[in-house]
């Protein structure tokens, strides 16, 4: 995902402009070991973005070990329509 594209999670700034991936969920997905999502909403948004971008590494890292599957398979036909919070 390009750092400048609008983040799939749909978060907007104070002017109601979409945040870029790098300024939104990208900082958590690309650096999850050093920069965890700071709150439940950011975690939910970043996990949605990870599903859109098929980022199994992030999804598995943020899934509780007692509940996470051994592997993830993504459906190529899945169409992600958006996230409403």
């Amino acid at each position: 995902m390009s750092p400048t594209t609008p983040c799939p999670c749909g978060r907007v700034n104070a002017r109601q402009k979409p945040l870029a991936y790098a300024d939104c969920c990208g900082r958590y997905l690309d650096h999850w070991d050093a920069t965890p999502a700071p709150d439940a909403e950011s975690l939910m948004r970043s996990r949605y973005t990870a599903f859109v971008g098929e980022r199994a590494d992030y999804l598995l890292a943020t899934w509780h070990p007692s509940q996470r599957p051994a592997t993830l398979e993504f459906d190529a036909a899945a169409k992600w329509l958006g996230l409403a919070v």
Side-chain angles (χ1 to χ4, degrees), residues 34-82:
T35 309
D39 53 48
E41 181 180 348
S42 296
L43 179 60
M44 177 188 61
R45 287 179 176 281
S46 65
R47 286 179 54 82
Y48 174 83
T49 298
F51 274 108
V52 172
E54 297 184 356
R55 291 285 307 271
D57 60 333
Y58 182 78
L59 291 166
L60 292 172
T62 57
W63 219 313
H64 191 275
S66 68
Q67 301 295 317
R68 100 178 129 221
T71 61
L72 286 177
E73 292 183 27
F74 297 99
D75 182 354
K79 182 175 181 180
W80 296 94
L81 302 177

Side-chain angles (χ1 to χ4, degrees), residues 7-53:
C7 191
C9 83
R11 192 178 292 226
V12 295
N13 65 18
R15 295 182 181 175
Q16 299 303 304
K17 300 286 183 182
L19 288 179
Y21 169 77
D23 297 327
C24 193
C25 295
R27 57 188 158 175
Y28 311 126
L29 271 78
D30 297 339
H31 308 284
W32 56 266
D33 54 340
T35 309
D39 53 48
E41 181 180 348
S42 296
L43 179 60
M44 177 188 61
R45 287 179 176 281
S46 65
R47 286 179 54 82
Y48 174 83
T49 298
F51 274 108
V52 172

